[in-house]
Amino acid sequence: MFHKEGYKIISITLVIVAAILGVSYFLVPNVYVQGFLYLLAAFILVIILQFFRNPKRNTVIDENTVVSPVDGKVVVIEEVFEKEYYNEKRLQVSVFMSPLNVHVTRNPIAGNVMFSKYHPGKFLVAWHPKSSEENERTTVVLENNKISVLYRQIAGALAKRIVSYAKEGTNVAQGADNGFIKFGSRVDVFLPIGTKIDVKLDQKVKGGETVLARIDS
C-alpha cells in the first residue's frame, strides 16, 4: 500500500523508468550500458516506492498512552519551554526520520484538534538545535479529557514539503493518518511535565504502535 501523497510522484517515476527502459532497449547497442540503465531504472523505482509506502499499523487504542506519531529514532528527551502554544515548560520527545523510514504522520492521541498552524521557514538539517523554531514546520495540538499534546512536523535538509490534515475543531482517532513529510525530517512531541516517558534515547520507534509516554489514570 502506498500513501496518497505519493501517487503523483510514483506516476511520474513510472513514466521516467519506462522512458529509460525504452531508450536502453531500442537505442543503446552496448549490453553493458543497457544493463547499467536497467539497474538505474530499477533503483529509482524501488527508492520512490519504498519512500511512499504506507504499511498498516495496529494501534492499540488506549486513552492512557501517547503513541509515536512517526517511525524513526528517539533523539531528544528533555524538559523545555514551549512558547508557541502553551507558554510553559513541557517534556519534549523528538523522533528523527531518515529517508528510509516510513514518513506517514499519525495522531499520538485521540481527541480534538485545538490548534493547527503552518510555518514557512528554512531547511536546516533536522537535528540542528534551531530547526524546531526556524525550519518549515507545522504545529498541531490535540486534547482530550486526559491530556493535551502538541506535536510538530519539522522539515529537514531534504524534506521540502510537509502535509498536515489537521483542522481545528475536528475530532481525530489515535494512530490515524494525519499527514506526511516528504524526504526525511523529524517530529517533536510536547507532553505535560510529570508524564511518564516510555522510551529511551536512540530507541527505534514505529508510528502508531510504539508507546512514547503513559498518562496516570
Side-chain angles (χ1 to χ4, degrees):
M1 180 185 294
F2 300 103
H3 198 276
K4 61 183 181 181
E5 295 298 334
Y7 290 169
K8 181 177 180 180
I9 294 178
I10 291 172
S11 298
I12 293 172
T13 301
L14 289 173
V15 172
I16 293 172
V17 167
I20 292 174
L21 295 177
V23 169
S24 303
Y25 185 79
F26 292 107
L27 300 179
V28 178
N30 188 298
V31 293
Y32 295 106
V33 176
Q34 276 187 346
F36 171 77
L37 291 174
Y38 291 160
L39 289 174
L40 177 63
F43 175 77
I44 293 172
L45 182 59
V46 168
I47 289 295
I48 294 299
L49 291 180
Q50 73 85 30
F51 181 81
F52 286 103
R53 68 195 187 280
N54 186 13
K56 183 176 180 179
R57 292 293 163 79
N58 298 312
T59 302
V60 178
I61 305 301
D62 187 345
E63 63 178 7
N64 293 312
T65 64
V66 178
V67 298
S68 178
V70 292
D71 289 21
K73 183 173 73 172
V74 178
V75 294
V76 172
I77 301 176
E78 63 182 7
E79 185 177 306
V80 299
F81 187 84
E82 199 295 302
K83 61 185 180 181
E84 181 178 0
Y85 182 81
Y86 296 113
N87 285 308
E88 65 182 22
K89 287 186 176 181
R90 286 254 149 176
L91 284 174
Q92 176 183 333
V93 180
S94 299
V95 179
F96 172 75
M97 294 172 286
S98 78
L100 299 179
N101 287 126
V102 173
H103 278 62
V104 180
T105 305
R106 306 173 194 276
N107 298 310
I109 63 170
N112 294 312
V113 179
M114 306 300 293
F115 181 79
S116 179
K117 186 173 183 179
Y118 167 78
H119 301 270
K122 300 177 182 179
F123 296 97
L124 302 172
V125 290
W127 57 84
H128 193 285
K130 293 186 178 181
S131 64
S132 182
E133 297 182 354
E134 296 186 6
N135 277 21
E136 178 180 334
R137 61 201 182 278
T138 62
T139 300
V140 177
V141 176
L142 302 180
E143 188 172 304
N144 57 34
N145 61 354
K146 290 274 187 175
I147 194 172
S148 178
V149 175
L150 181 153
Y151 71 91
R152 184 172 290 134
Q153 299 168 297
I154 303 170
L158 294 177
K160 300 302 182 185
R161 188 182 176 204
I162 296 174
V163 179
S164 176
Y165 307 140
K167 294 183 178 180
E168 292 181 14
T170 59
N171 191 270
V172 298
Q174 187 178 36
D177 180 353
N178 204 24
F180 199 90
I181 306 178
K182 297 186 178 181
F183 301 110
S185 191
R186 87 179 208 201
V187 169
D188 294 342
V189 181
F190 295 86
L191 306 161
I193 298 296
T195 305
K196 181 183 177 183
I197 304 300
D198 215 42
V199 291
K200 298 179 180 178
L201 285 174
D202 297 324
Q203 179 178 334
K204 292 183 179 179
V205 296
K206 281 190 173 183
E209 290 188 354
T210 303
V211 175
L212 289 186
R214 298 185 184 275
I215 308 162
D216 291 334
S217 300

